[in-house]
Amino acid sequence: MHWPCASLPGADLRERTTLRVGGPVAWLLEPADPEQFREAIVAARERGIPMRILGGGANVVIDDSGLDGVVISTERLNRIFRPGDLSAEETLDEQLPSARVAPADPAEDPRLVVWSGAPLPKLCRAARDLGYSGLEKMAGVPGHVGGGIAMNAGGKDRDGTLWQMSDVVERIRVVNAAGEMEDIARHDWDPVYRDGRLGDAIVAGAVLRFEPRSKMEVAEASREYLRRKNAVQPVTERSAGCVFKNPDPERSGGKTAGLLVDEAGGKGRRRGDATISERHGNFLINQGAASAADVFGLIEEIQDLVAQRTGLELECEVKLWRGNGERAAT
Ligand SMILES: Cc1cc2nc3c(=O)[nH]c(=O)nc-3n(C[C@H](O)[C@H](O)[C@H](O)COP(=O)(O)OP(=O)(O)OC[C@H]3O[C@@H](n4cnc5c(N)ncnc54)[C@H](O)[C@@H]3O)c2cc1C
């Protein structure tokens, strides 16, 4: 089958996830720029085959029995630019898909133009080195910009302040349902907690806006958030981040998903090499050779445990990519 970009039949996805669980997909596509990305999406849609988008694989559990259809990876779409004059629409049109951009004075125009596969840690480092504030709390969050926007990645401070990817977004560029590039301004985009609510739109890139600060301040704040994250999460283990969304605090009495799992006795539960972290009840760890069946089974077991104890249904934050030709959902 011919594809408009690099393509690998039967590629194994396991190593492309942070949990290290997954099997082969019929076709893995690796577009090298946003236009190839758009063409790959259109080609898959026109052929009517299931299509999924894979970013950094930091929030997915992939079936190891194999996936039908096509997975389009954003791995090669990893560019980050400083904009020139982005005031005119046509200038943005030229710049988002282009690698050749005249850098602006960082203090005068504290924005970055990113492709969807830019790794979040690389983006955080770039912002820190320019003295751009806004992503300090994302220090230590793996994945790609597109995945971060699709998931509206973020967190909550101890005082309850919510911070999320959408805080720094000025506009996103998507491949829309018609297969065309479309820019969506932040005020026309309505993301919610851990859900970018993009529908059929797929993120090709974005323009991000920051607050200029001193580089030292940004670096210090990033270090502090990384230190806090490392103190409570099993960051060096193989995981897919938080398994469950935090439930509505009104219904859970303000308890997080991790605390509910802990109180229900979920910490330390295991199936095969899949186990619930002793450190954080919302992290499922692959201790070596966990299978997708182990992971799916353990997730259901924990959901049952919490439901029996509290009556609350924990909703998955991680995306479960089940095989057997089930309907693909990005
Ligand atoms: C150690 C660890 C710590 C973490 N900490 C946090 C945290 O503090 N806060 C937090 O929110 N998350 C956290 N995560 C989860 C993860 O880092 C984020 O959800 C991240 O945004 C996922 O990005 P990704 O590119 O890896 O997405 P993937 O895992 O590749 O994909 C996730 C979903 O996004 C979709 N998607 C990916 N790219 C696109 C695109 N371009 N357009 C449309 N849809 C797309 C996929 O189809 C899938 O449905 C953590 C994960 C780990 C392993």
Side-chain angles (χ1 to χ4, degrees):
M1 202 181 287
H2 178 74
W3 294 99
C5 62
S7 58
L8 284 165
D12 195 352
L13 299 179
R14 183 174 175 272
E15 294 297 318
R16 292 171 182 264
T17 70
T18 52
L19 185 63
R20 296 291 192 274
V21 170
V25 61
W27 285 98
L28 178 71
L29 306 188
E30 293 202 300
D33 61 48
E35 182 50 23
Q36 271 192 8
F37 187 48
R38 190 192 68 77
E39 287 169 1
I41 292 164
V42 170
R45 283 179 178 162
E46 279 175 353
R47 285 165 200 187
I49 49 183
M51 178 191 65
R52 298 170 166 93
I53 307 297
L54 181 65
N59 220 194
V60 285
V61 183
I62 302 181
D63 209 332
D64 38 27
S65 65
L67 299 177
D68 289 339
V70 47
V71 166
I72 306 179
S73 164
T74 59
E75 191 67 29
R76 295 171 75 195
L77 302 171
N78 57 11
R79 307 296 303 270
I80 299 174
F81 314 105
R82 279 164 50 195
D85 176 11
L86 288 184
S87 55
E89 286 300 317
E90 56 280 6
T91 317
L92 173 64
D93 280 346
E94 283 160 21
Q95 290 185 346
L96 196 47
S98 159
R100 290 178 292 280
V101 177
D105 178 341
E108 274 177 23
D109 189 354
R111 290 187 288 178
L112 290 172
V113 178
V114 288
W115 288 359
S116 61
L120 290 168
K122 175 177 165 180
L123 173 63
C124 290
R125 282 196 301 276
R128 179 199 65 195
D129 294 346
L130 286 160
Y132 289 178
S133 173
L135 280 179
E136 295 90 323
K137 297 176 185 181
M138 294 289 277
V141 178
H144 295 174
V145 166
I149 290 174
M151 299 294 301
N152 199 17
K156 214 180 220 180
D157 287 339
R158 282 185 212 130
D159 66 2
T161 312
L162 192 65
W163 48 272
Q164 42 202 5
M165 193 71 202
S166 49
D167 297 344
V168 294
V169 168
E170 181 176 282
R171 69 179 79 176
I172 51 179
R173 173 161 292 188
V174 298
V175 179
N176 65 20
E180 288 157 1
M181 289 290 190
E182 180 186 339
D183 286 347
I184 304 176
R186 175 66 186 86
H187 55 79
D188 292 325
W189 177 42
D190 191 22
V192 292
Y193 166 69
R194 269 336 151 268
D195 185 357
R197 298 216 289 191
L198 292 168
D200 287 333
I202 294 170
V203 183
V207 179
L208 309 178
R209 177 175 285 282
F210 300 87
E211 289 291 321
R213 294 253 166 81
S214 85
K215 292 179 195 178
M216 241 168 58
E217 259 181 293
V218 178
E220 183 48 45
S222 305
R223 261 198 305 275
E224 174 56 18
Y225 280 105
L226 197 55
R227 196 189 55 73
R228 280 192 215 167
K229 196 174 175 70
N230 291 351
V232 293
Q233 294 181 4
V235 288
T236 56
E237 310 257 20
R238 290 171 178 169
S239 81
C242 285
V243 178
F244 305 109
K245 290 184 181 180
N246 288 322
D248 179 349
E250 301 228 328
R251 298 191 57 224
S252 71
K255 290 181 182 172
T256 61
L259 184 57
L260 291 168
V261 174
D262 187 4
E263 288 182 352
K267 276 185 172 174
R269 290 235 175 182
R270 68 183 296 151
R271 288 208 181 188
D273 266 354
T275 179
I276 300 298
S277 168
E278 293 280 3
R279 194 163 197 188
H280 194 304
N282 205 3
F283 275 71
L284 185 152
I285 306 296
N286 177 2
Q287 293 199 312
S291 67
D294 294 334
V295 175
F296 294 147
L298 187 55
I299 289 175
E300 281 165 23
E301 182 181 328
I302 297 298
Q303 283 172 318
D304 288 347
L305 200 64
V306 171
Q308 279 163 17
R309 191 173 191 277
T310 65
L312 291 168
E313 243 176 72
L314 287 182
E315 186 191 341
C316 274
E317 175 177 323
V318 287
K319 302 291 181 185
L320 309 181
W321 288 8
R322 296 182 191 266
N324 308 326
E326 284 185 29
R327 196 180 158 274
T330 51

